[in-house]
Amino acid sequence: MLAILDMLFVGFAVGLTGALVPGPMLFATIEGSLKKGWRAGPEVVLGHALIEFLICIFIVLGFTSIIGDREMSVISFVGGLVLVVFGLLTIIQSRNTFIDSGLSGGVLANPVSAGILTSASNPYFWIWWLAAGSALVLRGMEIGIFAAVMFVVGHWMADLGWFTFVSTSLSKTRSFFSGTVYRSVLACCGVFLMGFGIWFALG
């Protein structure tokens, strides 16, 4: 029982460490919070968790061992380009949006899709799961399937807690944003996403 609780704690601690580091998912949460309120945080995490759930299945089935340096380079380049496009669309649409209307249509209007996109296109997300994440899941499997599940649950609890805090905090101050400030914040999120994308693609 103690080993299972240890895996839950490890999952939470590791997840929180990753969540606190600024990245594409954070800026997707900020953007979503200004459009949809506090629900954006949990919805972004849901999209993120869906990708992680699939990865955990692949880890258990042993599929992740076939991914090498060449495949990671492709993931970095393609993922970087996707983030650049995502950021560019955010900047373009932010010019003609208002705080009561949000951005319309497509992936930009859906925090769940944003969570999936910013996770799947982030090469560091894949590197972490193929290295440390897979090792911890397999360590949990040595104890028992429930221990591995508790590691993943702890990881998701950290993500959900932090990004819900971010989206709730922003949604409470949303009414104090003027139209200009609102559009500027969205444009900045787009710039940061493009910056991450260029870094990933050329890194």
Side-chain angles (χ1 to χ4, degrees):
M1 184 63 181
L2 287 177
I4 293 175
L5 292 177
D6 284 344
M7 291 302 294
L8 178 66
F9 174 77
V10 169
F12 182 84
V14 170
L16 187 60
T17 300
L20 291 174
V21 177
M25 191 172 157
L26 173 63
F27 294 105
T29 301
I30 293 172
E31 179 189 343
S33 301
L34 295 176
K35 294 182 291 181
K36 296 192 65 175
W38 72 270
R39 292 178 301 169
E43 289 180 12
V44 168
V45 172
L46 174 59
H48 176 73
L50 290 174
I51 293 290
E52 292 187 322
F53 179 72
L54 292 176
I55 290 175
C56 288
I57 292 176
F58 290 148
I59 290 172
V60 172
L61 296 178
F63 291 165
T64 55
S65 61
I66 65 176
I67 298 180
D69 292 339
R70 183 177 180 180
E71 289 77 12
M72 283 307 307
S73 296
V74 174
I75 290 173
S76 296
F77 183 74
V78 174
L81 292 182
V82 170
L83 284 179
V84 169
V85 173
F86 188 25
L88 182 61
L89 289 175
T90 300
I91 294 171
I92 292 172
Q93 294 192 27
S94 70
R95 298 170 60 186
N96 299 309
T97 191
F98 300 93
I99 198 161
D100 292 328
S101 63
L103 301 180
S104 59
V107 70
L108 298 178
N110 190 329
V112 177
S113 298
I116 293 173
L117 177 63
T118 54
S119 299
S121 59
N122 185 345
Y124 289 96
F125 168 83
W126 292 97
I127 291 171
W128 187 89
W129 271 106
L130 293 173
S134 60
L136 288 166
V137 169
L138 293 175
R139 175 69 183 94
M141 289 292 293
E142 292 176 1
I143 301 170
I145 184 65
F146 192 59
V149 170
M150 285 297 98
F151 167 76
V152 178
V153 168
H155 186 85
W156 288 342
M157 286 172 58
D159 287 340
L160 182 62
W162 171 246
F163 288 106
T164 299
F165 169 76
V166 170
S167 61
T168 301
S169 300
L170 285 171
S171 67
K172 289 185 180 298
T173 59
R174 186 169 174 260
S175 60
F176 297 102
F177 282 67
S178 66
T180 301
V181 172
Y182 172 65
R183 288 187 288 272
S184 297
V185 171
L186 292 183
C188 286
C189 288
V191 170
F192 275 108
L193 287 173
M194 288 186 68
F196 277 112
I198 294 170
W199 183 31
F200 291 156
L202 301 181

